[in-house]
Amino acid sequence: MLYRTLVERGHFAADSALRRKVPRLLLAALLMGATVFAFERLLTPYLGGALIVRYAALGVLVGAGSAVYGVACFVTGAYRIADLKALMRRRGTSNTPKPAQE
């Protein structure tokens, strides 16, 4: 609904870079989903145990899914190392406290 509303109001237009990234991001998401599905089957005995064991199993599921998604984004070319460096530079400059003026 958000996408449709933004397009109708003229606030969003997909450029060529976005069109190139979307299929790659979808592939990365499918790989993440397959990983979570496979790990869930392996961790089923632990997902019903004591609370701390369930939390640990859930942490493994989330961690494995996140790791696979991150790696898949770089392997498929959806993101490059240069993109990550540029993002870190932007974040680093915006959070830097300004020196006090005397």
Side-chain angles (χ1 to χ4, degrees):
M1 287 179 5
L2 177 62
Y3 170 77
R4 185 175 173 189
T5 302
L6 289 173
V7 169
E8 286 175 357
R9 293 181 182 177
H11 296 293
F12 179 80
D15 61 357
S16 62
L18 180 62
R19 285 191 205 108
R20 197 172 43 251
K21 280 185 182 185
V22 167
R24 296 168 187 196
L25 291 172
L26 288 174
L27 177 60
L30 285 172
L31 291 171
M32 177 189 67
T35 300
V36 170
F37 182 75
F39 271 65
E40 188 270 335
R41 291 179 154 243
L42 291 172
L43 295 173
T44 296
Y46 304 103
L47 292 172
L51 190 60
I52 190 74
V53 174
R54 283 191 276 176
Y55 283 160
L58 183 60
V60 169
L61 280 174
V62 171
S66 298
V68 167
Y69 183 75
V71 169
C73 282
F74 287 107
V75 169
T76 62
Y79 287 100
R80 299 169 304 169
I81 298 296
D83 297 332
L84 185 60
K85 288 179 181 177
L87 178 65
M88 298 308 274
R89 268 193 307 271
R90 277 184 288 189
R91 285 194 176 178
T93 59
S94 65
N95 293 332
T96 305
K98 299 191 189 262
Q101 293 188 4
E102 297 177 21

